[in-house]
Amino acid sequence: MSGLVVQRIRVRWTSRDAAAATVRGRLPQAYALPPLPAGGLTVHEVLRDEATDYRPVEEVREGESAAREAGLWIGWRDGVALVDRLPGHASFPVRRAGTRLFTLAPGQLGRWRANFRFTGCQCSARWWYEQWTVHVAHAPAHADLFRDAPWSRDRDERVHLYGGPRPGRR
């Protein structure tokens, strides 16, 4: 297995008004990578939560378990990375089965965008929303790897979370 770099950016919110949506829409879609170990599988997590005024909280983890925590299953075949989405626990959209997002040959970069509505347990129902932007590179890490990246694969699975089709999609 050669090196694979994952960056998952999660934006979390509860407000549904236009002003809050404008603030979320202005948040960066890619971040500079911190110094990362060479080779292996490294995940750079960035969380921007409305509850903390969208202050970014970053964490770096390594290995297959880190990829699974980021919602991904990574496999390998003949030096090509097989990147799958794991089933999720969101209340909408419900995703009970994993799906192949893309395959990446050495030097290729992929991006997956999705959004979700979550709820707490039935005893304390509370809703929140998340939008994920997940970058995956089958390439050596460097600070600007995902900024203005030439995406070899780009998968957009965002849906309208408040009912009805997403604007601009049929």
Side-chain angles (χ1 to χ4, degrees), residues 2-71:
S2 58
L4 201 71
V5 179
V6 175
Q7 180 180 74
R8 178 174 71 157
I9 302 160
R10 290 183 300 153
V11 177
R12 181 181 296 153
W13 71 95
T14 57
S15 300
R16 290 178 44 179
D17 59 76
T22 299
V23 170
R24 287 191 306 275
R26 292 184 178 149
L27 296 174
Q29 297 298 304
Y31 290 82
L33 290 172
L36 300 175
L41 173 54
T42 306
V43 177
H44 176 228
E45 288 270 7
V46 180
L47 173 63
R48 307 280 310 241
D49 195 327
E50 180 183 55
T52 59
D53 295 321
Y54 298 111
R55 179 183 48 82
V57 176
E58 299 182 55
E59 180 181 8
V60 174
R61 295 189 316 272
E62 294 181 65
E64 293 178 14
S65 63
R68 286 191 295 275
E69 289 174 26

Side-chain angles (χ1 to χ4, degrees), residues 76-100:
W76 296 91
R77 184 173 45 227
D78 299 325
V80 172
L82 313 173
V83 182
D84 295 351
R85 170 187 54 80
L86 290 172
H89 301 289
S91 62
F92 183 80
V94 176
R95 298 188 170 153
R96 301 204 191 285
T99 303
R100 171 76 26 96

Side-chain angles (χ1 to χ4, degrees), residues 69-131:
E69 289 174 26
L72 301 176
W73 180 266
I74 307 296
W76 296 91
R77 184 173 45 227
D78 299 325
V80 172
L82 313 173
V83 182
D84 295 351
R85 170 187 54 80
L86 290 172
H89 301 289
S91 62
F92 183 80
V94 176
R95 298 188 170 153
R96 301 204 191 285
T99 303
R100 171 76 26 96
L101 293 173
F102 37 74
T103 60
L104 296 174
Q108 292 186 322
L109 284 73
R111 176 174 63 180
W112 169 46
R113 292 175 289 174
N115 54 2
F116 309 94
R117 182 175 62 214
F118 294 92
T119 186
C121 67
Q122 291 179 351
C123 61
S124 176
R126 127 182 132 80
W127 293 90
W128 73 94
Y129 305 89
E130 288 187 6
Q131 177 169 297

